[in-house]
């Protein structure tokens, strides 16, 4: 994943293939909508995106970033920082899974350029994490992806997501497209307000990116942004996402067979189409096992369980309506990236996303690039994805 805590920690994966299943379940999102106007999201709160506070965190030099990356080459490779980076924690208002107002936080990392120099804005959505300490605004260090991207000349806006940072204790709306999109877009709104107060100058360009759950969050935000009228809609130039469970049903279809192979007893119970017929005690055991696999011992955040409950109820329509984000028609370029050896989020999620979007008439506006790492696993494709993303943005991004 991209900051890329958790999934970048190999020790978590061998615990059970259900970790992969649960993470992939949570990494998918959004809706089987056939038009931009059909996006299902909770009603926006009146104060959505209101900036409540901003706090200076630190300034990190290119030498410090280079040193940090040398110690952890698993995240970012082959990048040479150009600018010092000053980072800030923003607090803003957004909504939780029930549409209730919540105060959330995020990181804005700004390249230190000459007075008056402008920069493109890069919205970066992080992958799945299980501790609030790993959230971007709590981790503005030299190896943090948001900081690294800012050192290349982007103003990077990175939401912590609801459930992390200042909103720790509120359930994280895992793989729920509406609140996920809201936290991402409301952070962009708050960051725009903050920039307008004379804190940084943007050049009118916006790019969105993320990997794994971050890819899902990016796709959910893009779909909602396109359906609305926020200024960011006109600023958006390109979206680059990697290994996201955009099509939740395809993700589950691919993972059930893996679960059966690795966990035959539990796999015999996880049979889509028949889960709703399980007895209450058995269904609770399946639910408990999934949640236990999802949340490692060191987790200090809570997750909204709606995505699991819909799965256990065999409610395919609910999964499509509140989680999947693959079947709609983008109006700006979308670059998908995925590894064929990925068992955490099956490759089929990206394939079916490409097919669905092209069936809507996007043509080559949406493309899928295969990760060439060997093996092309979920974790193994993280560094190549970052380089791929930067290569896609480079011809379009100005004022770097």
């Amino acid at each position: 994943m991209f900051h890329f805590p958790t999934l970048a920690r190999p020790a978590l994966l061998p615990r059970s293939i259900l970790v992969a299943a649960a993470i992939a379940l949570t990494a998918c999102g959004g809706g089987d909508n056939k038009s931009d106007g059909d996006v299902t999201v909770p009603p926006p709160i009146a104060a959505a995106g209101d900036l409540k506070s901003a706090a200076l965190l630190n300034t990190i030099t290119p030498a410090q970033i280079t040193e940090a990356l040398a110690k952890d080459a698993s995240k970012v490779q082959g990048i040479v920082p150009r600018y010092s980076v000053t980072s800030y924690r923003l607090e803003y208002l957004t909504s939780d899974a029930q549409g209730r107002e919540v105060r959330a936080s995020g990181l804005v990392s700004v390249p230190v350029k000459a007075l008056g120099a402008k920069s493109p804005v890069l919205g970066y959505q992080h992958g799945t994490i299980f501790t609030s300490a790993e959230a971007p605004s709590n981790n503005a260090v030299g190896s943090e992806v948001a900081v690294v991207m800012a050192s290349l000349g982007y103003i990077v806006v990175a939401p912590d997501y609801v459930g992390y940072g200042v909103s720790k204790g509120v359930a994280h709306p895992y793989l729920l497209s509406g609140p996920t999109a809201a936290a991402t877009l409301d952070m962009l709104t708050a960051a725009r307000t903050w920039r307008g107060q004379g804190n940084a100058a943007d050049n009118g360009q916006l790019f969105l990116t993320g990997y794994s759950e971050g890819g899902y969050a990016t796709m959910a935000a893009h779909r909602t942004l396109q359906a609305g009228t926020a200024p960011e809609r006109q600023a958006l130039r390109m979206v680059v996402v990697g290994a996201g469970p955009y099509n939740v049903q395809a993700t589950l279809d691919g993972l059930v067979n893996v679960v059966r192979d690795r966990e035959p007893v539990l796999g015999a119970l996880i049979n889509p189409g028949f889960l709703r017929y399980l007895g209450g005690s058995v269904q609770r055991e399946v639910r408990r096992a999934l949640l236990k696999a999802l949340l490692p011992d060191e987790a200090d955040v809570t997750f909204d369980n709606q995505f699991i409950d819909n799965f256990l109820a065999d409610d395919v329509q609910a999964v499509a309506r509140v989680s999947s984000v693959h079947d709609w028609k983008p109006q700006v370029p979308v670059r998908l990236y995925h590894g064929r050896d990925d068992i955490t989020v099956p490759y089929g999620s990206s394939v079916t996303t490409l097919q669905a979007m092209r069936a809507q008439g996007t043509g080559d506006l949406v493309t899928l690039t295969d990760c060439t790492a060997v093996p092309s696993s979920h974790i193994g494709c993280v560094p190549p994805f970052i380089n791929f993303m930067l290569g896609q943005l480079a011809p379009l991004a100005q004022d770097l």
Side-chain angles (χ1 to χ4, degrees):
M1 307 174 76
F2 197 84
H3 162 82
F4 290 118
T6 305
L7 287 185
R9 294 181 297 174
L12 292 178
L13 294 178
R15 306 180 76 177
S16 167
I17 192 61
L18 289 179
V19 172
I23 287 176
L25 281 171
T26 61
C28 315
D32 236 356
N33 303 301
K34 298 300 181 183
S35 68
D36 298 338
D38 292 337
V39 176
T40 301
V41 296
I45 60 173
D50 278 5
L51 175 65
K52 306 305 292 183
S53 68
L56 173 67
L57 297 177
N58 57 36
T59 298
I60 302 178
T61 67
Q64 291 171 321
I65 294 171
T66 298
E67 180 181 4
L69 292 179
K71 294 178 181 178
D72 190 357
S74 65
K75 298 177 184 177
V76 182
Q77 298 174 3
I79 290 179
V80 179
R82 297 176 56 195
Y83 302 98
S84 293
V85 176
T86 300
S87 294
Y88 304 82
R89 176 185 293 111
L90 302 191
E91 296 186 10
Y92 65 101
L93 297 182
T94 189
S95 52
D96 67 6
Q98 285 70 47
R100 298 171 300 203
E101 181 178 289
V102 61
R103 186 163 174 152
S105 54
L107 177 70
V108 175
S109 293
V110 181
V112 179
K113 297 182 177 180
L115 184 64
K118 298 181 178 181
S119 303
V121 175
L122 176 61
Y124 155 64
Q125 285 60 248
H126 67 77
T128 308
I129 54 179
F130 297 131
T131 64
S132 185
E134 296 173 289
S137 78
N138 287 334
N139 194 52
V141 298
S143 59
E144 164 61 41
V145 173
V147 173
V148 176
M149 298 299 101
S151 77
L152 299 179
Y154 296 92
I155 297 171
V156 181
V157 179
D160 291 336
Y161 303 153
V162 170
Y164 303 90
V166 71
S167 62
K168 180 183 175 183
V170 179
H172 173 53
Y174 216 27
L175 293 188
L176 300 179
S177 63
T180 298
T184 300
L185 296 177
D186 292 343
M187 176 64 184
L188 286 172
T189 298
R192 169 165 38 90
T193 300
W194 178 81
R195 293 196 306 274
Q197 295 172 348
N199 294 291
D202 68 84
N203 69 355
Q205 291 185 312
L206 171 66
F207 303 93
L208 297 175
T209 191
Y211 189 89
S212 194
E213 187 191 355
Y216 162 75
T218 299
M219 193 75 84
H222 180 195
R223 187 183 63 173
T224 301
L225 180 63
Q226 182 171 297
T229 59
E232 284 75 18
R233 179 179 179 179
Q234 298 303 318
L236 186 62
R237 299 292 185 269
M238 177 179 281
V239 173
V240 186
V241 288
Y246 326 108
N247 182 344
V248 176
Q249 198 62 50
T251 300
L252 294 175
D253 290 343
L255 287 169
V256 164
N257 290 333
V258 178
V259 172
R260 289 196 185 104
D261 291 341
R262 302 290 181 86
E263 301 281 347
V265 175
L266 186 60
L269 300 177
I270 304 177
N271 191 2
F274 295 91
L275 289 171
R276 64 185 181 277
Y277 298 119
L278 294 176
S281 60
V282 176
Q283 193 172 83
R284 284 193 295 272
E285 177 61 21
V286 173
R287 186 174 186 272
R288 182 202 61 76
L290 287 170
L291 289 172
K292 182 178 179 180
L294 169 64
L295 299 174
D297 294 338
E298 68 269 27
D300 65 1
V301 296
T302 58
F303 290 75
D304 188 289
N305 300 325
Q306 185 176 344
F307 74 98
I308 290 180
D309 293 340
N310 287 337
F311 171 55
L312 293 178
D314 291 319
D315 196 339
V316 175
Q317 292 183 342
V319 171
R321 185 176 65 255
V322 304
S323 292
S324 293
V325 292
H326 69 291
D327 193 357
W328 57 287
K329 185 179 179 181
Q331 296 172 352
V332 301
V334 173
R335 300 293 177 249
L336 304 166
Y337 186 89
H338 213 135
R340 289 177 177 265
D341 298 328
D342 194 336
I343 62 171
T344 302
V345 179
Y347 180 73
S349 175
S350 289
V351 171
T352 54
T353 298
L354 177 70
Q355 293 170 341
M357 289 183 169
R358 287 192 169 175
Q360 296 266 3
T362 62
D364 290 338
L365 198 67
V366 180
T367 62
L368 171 59
T369 298
D370 288 0
C371 172
T372 58
V374 180
S376 58
S377 63
H378 198 68
I379 295 172
C381 288
V382 168
F385 168 74
I386 298 178
N387 290 324
F388 169 79
M389 179 265 293
L390 291 172
Q392 292 297 305
L393 301 188
L396 300 178
Q398 301 171 3
D399 302 309
L400 293 177

